[in-house]
Amino acid sequence: QSHIRTQTNIQARTNIRKKHQTLAHGQYLELMEMQRLMNIVDKMKHDWNERAQHHARFWIATEDYHTEEKFAQSGKDTAQSLLATIPVPYLPSWNVLDIGCGIGRVLKALASHFHHLVGVDVSSAMITQSQQWLADYPHIHTYETSGVDLREFPHSSFDLVYSYVTFQHMPRPVLERYLGEIHRVLTPNG
């Protein structure tokens, strides 16, 4: 898999060099920045997939992973803290997005508060495990994301977007892209 990814990256770089001959300098720099981000994302996906396969609950809630009950309670505690920070009364009809949802620890705890919850994570292994963890909650949907954007979602599609202990793991260029994307997917009053 690493060999295939390396071949793909070599081919992408070759294509970028060929395009450079016909692109303006600014466009070339933009393509190079995108290539750099994709290399970062490949590493993020690889690292988080390995962590999820090793022990997802440990990597999500290091101090509260020992039992399913303790892990679930930590999700409830986090959800209550999150709800307490919302400056206006929240409505069950809100569309809610969790960035870096892992297996859905906080989403599960928010299930009784909102009718439509979505979680995204860079790790396909986390998303696979989330489907089991959230199997009893048909109004919660989780998706693997590109790791640099929220292109799956249209403008103004969420009333609340949150992330809990995820951004600290992102390199600055990825974080900056996500902040722009959060602004894009939030409703005007979100």
Side-chain angles (χ1 to χ4, degrees):
Q1 188 177 16
S2 176
H3 176 70
I4 293 170
R5 184 172 48 223
T6 301
Q7 285 180 326
T8 303
N9 285 342
I10 290 169
Q11 183 62 42
R13 287 186 185 105
T14 301
N15 291 341
I16 288 171
R17 284 186 196 106
K18 287 178 184 177
K19 288 181 180 182
H20 176 257
Q21 296 168 356
T22 59
L23 294 176
H25 184 69
Q27 291 171 313
Y28 174 73
L29 291 177
E30 189 176 310
L31 283 173
M32 291 307 293
E33 177 63 14
M34 185 55 74
Q35 179 62 40
R36 187 173 77 86
L37 282 175
M38 294 316 295
N39 288 340
I40 291 170
V41 169
D42 283 347
K43 182 173 179 1
M44 286 172 35
K45 284 183 175 291
H46 176 265
D47 291 350
W48 283 102
N49 280 330
E50 279 193 356
R51 291 171 183 148
Q53 291 163 0
H54 169 255
H55 199 307
R57 288 195 331 235
F58 171 79
W59 289 102
I60 293 168
T62 306
E63 295 180 10
D64 298 313
Y65 76 96
H66 299 288
T67 67
E68 192 168 302
E69 293 77 23
K70 193 168 184 176
F71 183 74
Q73 184 59 51
S74 75
K76 291 175 185 175
D77 294 344
T78 300
Q80 287 305 313
S81 294
L82 170 70
L83 293 172
T85 66
I86 299 173
V88 296
Y90 63 86
L91 301 173
S93 62
W94 281 6
N95 290 321
V96 177
L97 175 64
D98 179 348
I99 298 173
C101 67
I103 67 169
R105 178 181 70 99
V106 179
L107 288 168
K108 188 175 194 176
L110 291 174
S112 64
H113 298 277
F114 300 102
H115 300 306
H116 182 71
L117 296 125
V118 176
V120 296
D121 202 283
V122 70
S123 169
S124 59
M126 290 285 191
I127 295 302
T128 298
Q129 291 183 47
S130 76
Q131 292 164 356
Q132 180 180 357
W133 178 254
L134 301 169
D136 296 334
Y137 301 88
H139 64 294
I140 304 176
H141 305 278
T142 57
Y143 305 97
E144 179 183 359
T145 188
S146 70
V148 294
D149 59 36
L150 300 168
R151 69 177 142 220
E152 300 87 352
F153 307 110
H155 291 269
S156 302
S157 52
F158 293 100
D159 303 288
L160 173 64
V161 177
Y162 72 92
S163 183
Y164 183 75
V165 296
T166 298
F167 291 151
Q168 69 196 35
H169 299 289
M170 293 180 183
R172 187 171 186 93
V174 175
L175 171 61
E176 289 171 353
R177 287 184 62 100
Y178 264 112
L179 293 176
E181 284 290 274
I182 291 168
H183 184 265
R184 182 184 65 77
V185 300
L186 271 172
T187 59
N189 295 321

